[in-house]
Amino acid sequence: EIADRDWSSDVCSSDLVLMYLSLFSLALTVARIAFTQKNVFLFMAWNLFLAFVPWLLSSFLYFHKIKKNLLCALIIFVWMLFFPNAPYVLTDLLHLRKDLLVPVWYDFIMLLSYAFTGLLYAFVSLNFIEVRLNEKYKPAIIKILICLMIYVSCFGVYIGRFLRWNSWDVFANPVSLFGDVYERIASPVRHLSAWLFTFLLGTLLNLVYAAFKQTGRRRPDRKSVV
Protein backbone atom coordinates (compact mmCIF):
# COMPACT_ATOMS: atom_id res chain seq x y z
CA GLU A 1 0.00 0.00 0.00
CA ILE A 2 2.84 2.39 0.84
CA ALA A 3 4.45 1.61 -2.53
CA ASP A 4 1.21 2.40 -4.34
CA ARG A 5 0.92 5.70 -2.47
CA ASP A 6 4.50 6.62 -3.42
CA TRP A 7 3.80 5.83 -7.08
CA SER A 8 0.60 7.87 -7.03
CA SER A 9 2.53 10.76 -5.48
CA ASP A 10 5.04 10.63 -8.37
CA VAL A 11 2.22 10.71 -10.91
CA CYS A 12 0.53 13.65 -9.19
CA SER A 13 3.83 15.54 -9.10
CA SER A 14 4.34 15.05 -12.84
CA ASP A 15 0.77 16.22 -13.46
CA LEU A 16 1.42 19.42 -11.50
CA VAL A 17 4.65 20.10 -13.39
CA LEU A 18 2.86 19.59 -16.70
CA MET A 19 0.06 21.91 -15.63
CA TYR A 20 2.46 24.68 -14.56
CA LEU A 21 4.54 24.31 -17.73
CA SER A 22 1.42 24.46 -19.88
CA LEU A 23 0.13 27.56 -18.09
CA PHE A 24 3.54 29.21 -18.32
CA SER A 25 3.74 28.57 -22.07
CA LEU A 26 0.21 29.85 -22.66
CA ALA A 27 0.86 32.92 -20.49
CA LEU A 28 3.90 33.83 -22.59
CA THR A 29 1.79 33.56 -25.75
CA VAL A 30 -1.04 35.65 -24.32
CA ALA A 31 1.41 38.32 -23.17
CA ARG A 32 3.01 38.42 -26.62
CA ILE A 33 -0.35 38.77 -28.34
CA ALA A 34 -1.43 41.51 -25.91
CA PHE A 35 1.82 43.44 -26.48
CA THR A 36 2.08 43.09 -30.27
CA GLN A 37 -1.65 42.89 -31.10
CA LYS A 38 -0.72 40.01 -33.43
CA ASN A 39 -1.67 36.37 -32.95
CA VAL A 40 1.32 34.99 -34.86
CA PHE A 41 2.04 32.21 -32.35
CA LEU A 42 -1.54 31.42 -31.38
CA PHE A 43 -1.21 28.08 -33.21
CA MET A 44 1.19 26.98 -30.47
CA ALA A 45 -1.75 26.67 -28.07
CA TRP A 46 -3.39 24.23 -30.51
CA ASN A 47 -0.17 22.25 -30.89
CA LEU A 48 0.09 22.03 -27.11
CA PHE A 49 -3.47 20.71 -26.94
CA LEU A 50 -2.60 18.03 -29.50
CA ALA A 51 0.38 17.07 -27.32
CA PHE A 52 -2.02 16.83 -24.37
CA VAL A 53 -4.31 14.31 -26.14
CA PRO A 54 -1.94 11.28 -26.04
CA TRP A 55 -1.17 12.07 -22.39
CA LEU A 56 -4.91 12.05 -21.68
CA LEU A 57 -5.39 8.71 -23.46
CA SER A 58 -2.44 7.08 -21.71
CA SER A 59 -3.61 8.44 -18.34
CA PHE A 60 -7.01 6.83 -18.88
CA LEU A 61 -5.34 3.54 -19.74
CA TYR A 62 -3.02 3.81 -16.75
CA PHE A 63 -5.61 4.62 -14.08
CA HIS A 64 -8.29 2.24 -15.37
CA LYS A 65 -7.32 -1.41 -15.24
CA ILE A 66 -8.88 -2.54 -18.50
CA LYS A 67 -8.97 -6.32 -18.68
CA LYS A 68 -10.25 -6.61 -22.26
CA ASN A 69 -7.22 -6.93 -24.52
CA LEU A 70 -9.11 -5.71 -27.58
CA LEU A 71 -10.19 -2.47 -25.89
CA CYS A 72 -6.70 -1.96 -24.50
CA ALA A 73 -5.19 -2.48 -27.97
CA LEU A 74 -7.69 -0.04 -29.48
CA ILE A 75 -6.78 2.69 -26.97
CA ILE A 76 -3.06 2.16 -27.61
CA PHE A 77 -3.69 2.32 -31.37
CA VAL A 78 -5.50 5.66 -31.06
CA TRP A 79 -2.80 6.84 -28.65
CA MET A 80 -0.13 5.93 -31.20
CA LEU A 81 -1.91 8.02 -33.84
CA PHE A 82 -1.78 11.10 -31.65
CA PHE A 83 1.51 10.44 -29.86
CA PRO A 84 3.71 12.08 -32.55
CA ASN A 85 1.94 15.38 -31.79
CA ALA A 86 3.83 15.58 -28.49
CA PRO A 87 7.43 15.42 -29.81
CA TYR A 88 6.24 17.40 -32.86
CA VAL A 89 6.20 20.52 -30.66
CA LEU A 90 10.00 20.33 -30.62
CA THR A 91 10.06 21.20 -34.32
CA ASP A 92 8.17 24.44 -33.66
CA LEU A 93 11.57 25.86 -32.69
CA LEU A 94 12.00 26.28 -36.46
CA HIS A 95 9.58 29.22 -36.20
CA LEU A 96 12.13 31.29 -34.30
CA ARG A 97 12.73 34.46 -36.30
CA LYS A 98 13.87 37.97 -35.54
CA ASP A 99 10.89 40.21 -34.85
CA LEU A 100 11.19 43.98 -34.41
CA LEU A 101 8.19 43.96 -32.07
CA VAL A 102 9.67 41.68 -29.41
CA PRO A 103 13.23 40.61 -28.49
CA VAL A 104 14.30 37.35 -30.13
CA TRP A 105 15.18 35.97 -26.70
CA TYR A 106 11.52 36.26 -25.66
CA ASP A 107 10.32 34.15 -28.57
CA PHE A 108 13.16 31.69 -27.89
CA ILE A 109 12.03 31.22 -24.27
CA MET A 110 8.40 30.94 -25.35
CA LEU A 111 9.08 28.32 -28.03
CA LEU A 112 11.47 26.46 -25.74
CA SER A 113 8.83 26.32 -23.01
CA TYR A 114 6.40 24.71 -25.47
CA ALA A 115 9.11 22.31 -26.62
CA PHE A 116 9.91 21.19 -23.07
CA THR A 117 6.23 20.85 -22.23
CA GLY A 118 5.50 18.80 -25.34
CA LEU A 119 8.49 16.56 -24.68
CA LEU A 120 7.45 16.00 -21.06
CA TYR A 121 3.89 15.16 -22.19
CA ALA A 122 5.45 12.64 -24.57
CA PHE A 123 7.69 10.98 -21.98
CA VAL A 124 5.11 10.81 -19.20
CA SER A 125 2.57 9.46 -21.67
CA LEU A 126 5.01 6.86 -23.01
CA ASN A 127 5.91 5.85 -19.45
CA PHE A 128 2.22 5.23 -18.66
CA ILE A 129 1.96 2.98 -21.71
CA GLU A 130 5.16 1.19 -20.74
CA VAL A 131 3.82 0.44 -17.27
CA ARG A 132 0.68 -1.12 -18.73
CA LEU A 133 2.65 -3.16 -21.28
CA ASN A 134 4.92 -4.43 -18.50
CA GLU A 135 1.90 -6.20 -17.05
CA LYS A 136 1.47 -8.24 -20.24
CA TYR A 137 4.90 -8.73 -21.82
CA LYS A 138 8.48 -9.54 -20.84
CA PRO A 139 10.89 -6.63 -20.15
CA ALA A 140 13.06 -7.41 -23.19
CA ILE A 141 10.04 -7.22 -25.50
CA ILE A 142 8.90 -3.97 -23.85
CA LYS A 143 12.26 -2.31 -24.48
CA ILE A 144 12.04 -3.18 -28.17
CA LEU A 145 8.43 -2.00 -28.42
CA ILE A 146 9.14 1.33 -26.69
CA CYS A 147 12.19 1.91 -28.88
CA LEU A 148 10.16 1.20 -32.03
CA MET A 149 7.29 3.41 -30.84
CA ILE A 150 9.68 6.35 -30.51
CA TYR A 151 11.13 5.80 -33.99
CA VAL A 152 7.64 5.44 -35.50
CA SER A 153 6.51 8.61 -33.74
CA CYS A 154 9.51 10.48 -35.16
CA PHE A 155 8.52 9.35 -38.64
CA GLY A 156 5.09 10.73 -37.76
CA VAL A 157 6.76 14.01 -36.78
CA TYR A 158 8.45 14.09 -40.19
CA ILE A 159 5.27 13.57 -42.21
CA GLY A 160 3.51 16.11 -40.01
CA ARG A 161 6.17 18.82 -40.21
CA PHE A 162 7.37 18.41 -43.79
CA LEU A 163 4.44 16.72 -45.58
CA ARG A 164 1.83 18.55 -43.49
CA TRP A 165 -0.27 15.51 -42.62
CA ASN A 166 -2.33 15.40 -39.40
CA SER A 167 -3.35 12.54 -37.12
CA TRP A 168 -6.98 12.65 -38.24
CA ASP A 169 -5.95 12.29 -41.90
CA VAL A 170 -5.66 8.56 -41.16
CA PHE A 171 -9.47 8.62 -41.30
CA ALA A 172 -10.15 11.76 -43.37
CA ASN A 173 -7.69 11.18 -46.22
CA PRO A 174 -6.15 7.71 -45.78
CA VAL A 175 -5.41 6.99 -49.46
CA SER A 176 -3.18 10.03 -50.02
CA LEU A 177 -1.57 9.71 -46.60
CA PHE A 178 -0.65 6.06 -46.97
CA GLY A 179 0.43 6.76 -50.53
CA ASP A 180 3.03 9.22 -49.25
CA VAL A 181 4.12 6.81 -46.53
CA TYR A 182 4.38 3.89 -48.97
CA GLU A 183 6.43 5.97 -51.40
CA ARG A 184 9.03 6.64 -48.71
CA ILE A 185 9.11 3.00 -47.65
CA ALA A 186 9.35 1.72 -51.22
CA SER A 187 12.04 4.24 -52.26
CA PRO A 188 14.15 4.92 -49.14
CA VAL A 189 17.17 6.18 -51.07
CA ARG A 190 15.07 8.69 -52.97
CA HIS A 191 13.68 9.96 -49.66
CA LEU A 192 16.87 9.68 -47.64
CA SER A 193 16.21 12.88 -45.69
CA ALA A 194 13.00 11.39 -44.27
CA TRP A 195 14.83 8.37 -42.87
CA LEU A 196 17.82 10.37 -41.64
CA PHE A 197 15.45 12.70 -39.79
CA THR A 198 13.57 9.73 -38.33
CA PHE A 199 16.74 7.90 -37.30
CA LEU A 200 18.52 10.90 -35.79
CA LEU A 201 15.55 12.35 -33.92
CA GLY A 202 14.42 8.86 -32.88
CA THR A 203 17.86 8.02 -31.51
CA LEU A 204 18.01 11.32 -29.66
CA LEU A 205 14.59 10.82 -28.08
CA ASN A 206 15.37 7.21 -27.16
CA LEU A 207 18.48 8.37 -25.33
CA VAL A 208 16.69 11.26 -23.63
CA TYR A 209 13.80 8.99 -22.63
CA ALA A 210 16.28 6.53 -21.09
CA ALA A 211 17.84 9.42 -19.16
CA PHE A 212 14.36 10.61 -18.17
CA LYS A 213 13.66 7.25 -16.53
CA GLN A 214 17.08 6.81 -14.96
CA THR A 215 17.48 10.27 -13.46
CA GLY A 216 14.04 10.32 -11.87
CA ARG A 217 13.41 8.95 -8.41
CA ARG A 218 13.37 5.17 -8.52
CA ARG A 219 9.76 4.07 -8.56
CA PRO A 220 8.76 0.99 -6.60
CA ASP A 221 6.97 -1.90 -8.20
CA ARG A 222 3.22 -1.28 -8.26
CA LYS A 223 2.62 -4.73 -6.83
CA SER A 224 5.16 -4.48 -4.01
CA VAL A 225 3.99 -4.04 -0.44
CA VAL A 226 6.17 -2.66 2.35
Side-chain angles (χ1 to χ4, degrees):
E1 293 178 358
I2 294 177
D4 284 337
R5 286 198 296 271
D6 289 342
W7 178 267
S8 298
S9 177
D10 284 351
V11 172
C12 290
S13 296
S14 69
D15 290 349
L16 285 173
V17 171
L18 283 168
M19 182 185 71
Y20 290 140
L21 277 171
S22 299
L23 291 175
F24 178 72
S25 301
L26 293 172
L28 289 176
T29 305
V30 171
R32 191 188 195 282
I33 292 174
F35 180 77
T36 63
Q37 296 299 306
K38 293 184 178 180
N39 58 357
V40 177
F41 285 105
L42 188 59
F43 69 90
M44 293 299 300
W46 174 248
N47 287 352
L48 185 63
F49 171 75
L50 292 178
F52 168 80
V53 172
W55 175 86
L56 186 64
L57 289 170
S58 63
S59 296
F60 176 82
L61 188 64
Y62 174 79
F63 286 107
H64 295 79
K65 292 187 177 181
I66 300 173
K67 297 182 179 180
K68 295 183 179 180
N69 291 333
L70 182 60
L71 180 58
C72 185
L74 179 61
I75 294 174
I76 292 178
F77 173 74
V78 177
W79 169 83
M80 194 64 214
L81 291 180
F82 284 92
F83 180 62
N85 292 308
Y88 175 89
V89 182
L90 290 171
T91 65
D92 285 321
L93 287 168
L94 294 172
H95 293 295
L96 182 63
R97 296 287 187 275
K98 286 187 176 181
D99 190 334
L100 296 178
L101 297 176
V102 296
V104 67
W105 57 259
Y106 184 90
D107 284 345
F108 174 72
I109 292 174
M110 181 182 66
L111 292 173
L112 200 61
S113 69
Y114 277 103
F116 281 142
T117 307
L119 190 61
L120 190 56
Y121 270 124
F123 286 167
V124 173
S125 173
L126 185 60
N127 196 232
F128 283 165
I129 295 296
E130 186 174 359
V131 169
R132 278 290 171 243
L133 291 177
N134 272 323
E135 298 172 354
K136 299 179 181 294
Y137 303 102
K138 296 180 179 179
I141 296 176
I142 300 303
K143 289 181 179 180
I144 295 174
L145 285 175
I146 294 300
C147 181
L148 289 176
M149 284 178 176
I150 292 177
Y151 278 113
V152 170
S153 72
C154 289
F155 182 71
V157 172
Y158 175 85
I159 64 176
R161 167 56 63 190
F162 300 105
L163 303 184
R164 309 309 299 167
W165 290 110
N166 298 304
S167 299
W168 48 84
D169 284 319
V170 173
F171 306 102
N173 197 2
V175 176
S176 297
L177 170 59
F178 288 114
D180 275 350
V181 172
Y182 175 77
E183 182 179 347
R184 278 148 185 82
I185 294 175
S187 305
V189 177
R190 184 181 175 186
H191 301 283
L192 189 59
S193 61
W195 299 111
L196 280 175
F197 176 91
T198 300
F199 173 74
L200 293 176
L201 183 61
T203 301
L204 174 63
L205 293 189
N206 266 294
L207 292 172
V208 178
Y209 180 63
F212 167 79
K213 292 196 299 178
Q214 292 297 324
T215 57
R217 185 169 68 85
R218 185 174 180 82
R219 294 169 176 172
D221 192 300
R222 289 171 58 89
K223 295 179 181 179
S224 63
V225 178
V226 177

